[in-house]
Amino acid sequence: MGWTETTTSLQSRSVRPTVRLSVAFFLSSCSPVTTRPDFPPFPQATSVVLMARRERVIPILATLVAAESLRVRRASPVDGYLETDWYDTRTHRSFRDGAYIPDLAHAVKLRCWADPYVPSETILTIEAAYRPRYDPSRTERDLEAAVPEGHDGYALAAKLLAQVKEKVGSPQAPR
């Protein structure tokens, strides 16, 4: 009787560290951390289907954004997301902190979502947002609105979308 208790106890002790290690490895490989925000783009945001994977689209977009004098706040090819700092379309200056923007009406923030569509194709959505007013008691997104079509930020987003489309291509409509 003493021998079986010892054998069982030794077997369960040798299995426990392996199970614990397996669970720890599994949990560490499934990270819930993402650079994407927990909100979708505004319905007015412009989008296009591209002939490239999202891992390729975001680095191309990051270089195009930098060429337009915008600072990239965060970008992740794996997550398919890019966000710029606030950018004044009149003075062509970027502002890291949204509290110190001198001209709210002309400052925009671009957010770009690259979502898989079909194999080797991506839907790229570029949102140009502005803040009609500043209120530190509310979250940034609560105060944002989509820029109207005549706004310089809308033109900037459309220009970037066209440049990405030119670089990677877009599927042609069936005839």
Side-chain angles (χ1 to χ4, degrees):
M1 186 168 187
W3 183 79
T4 50
E5 287 176 10
T6 306
T7 306
T8 307
S9 126
L10 287 175
Q11 288 174 344
S12 65
R13 284 185 193 156
S14 65
V15 171
R16 284 184 189 151
T18 306
V19 171
R20 287 183 191 150
L21 186 61
S22 299
V23 169
F25 178 73
F26 175 75
L27 291 176
S28 68
S29 67
C30 299
S31 175
V33 177
T34 179
T35 56
R36 282 184 168 223
D38 60 351
F39 52 82
F42 288 122
Q44 302 90 339
T46 56
S47 61
V48 68
V49 176
L50 301 170
M51 295 291 296
R53 294 183 171 277
R54 71 180 181 178
E55 292 84 9
R56 185 172 164 231
V57 171
I58 295 299
I60 290 170
L61 188 60
T63 59
L64 293 173
V65 163
E68 291 292 329
S69 302
L70 283 92
R71 265 191 301 199
V72 175
R73 185 176 192 93
R74 45 183 169 162
S76 173
V78 174
D79 291 336
Y81 184 72
L82 181 137
E83 180 178 321
T84 67
D85 281 336
W86 287 100
Y87 177 75
D88 190 326
T89 57
R90 289 215 171 149
T91 63
H92 304 287
R93 287 184 49 210
S94 290
F95 298 90
R96 183 155 306 275
D97 187 3
Y100 300 107
I101 300 171
D103 187 4
L104 287 177
H106 294 98
V108 295
K109 177 177 275 202
L110 298 180
R111 291 188 183 97
C112 310
W113 286 263
D115 296 308
Y117 182 52
V118 295
S120 298
E121 290 185 14
T122 299
I123 297 174
L124 176 64
T125 305
I126 300 181
E127 167 191 278
Y130 80 108
R131 286 190 307 189
R133 65 185 171 282
Y134 177 71
D135 182 355
S137 68
R138 296 180 61 192
T139 64
E140 186 174 86
R141 186 62 175 188
D142 286 343
L143 296 169
E144 292 176 358
V147 296
E149 279 193 42
H151 195 281
D152 290 338
Y154 188 89
L156 180 61
K159 178 181 177 181
L160 289 169
L161 206 59
Q163 288 175 338
V164 172
K165 186 177 174 181
E166 183 181 312
K167 282 205 180 273
V168 299
S170 183
Q172 297 194 3
R175 297 179 185 177

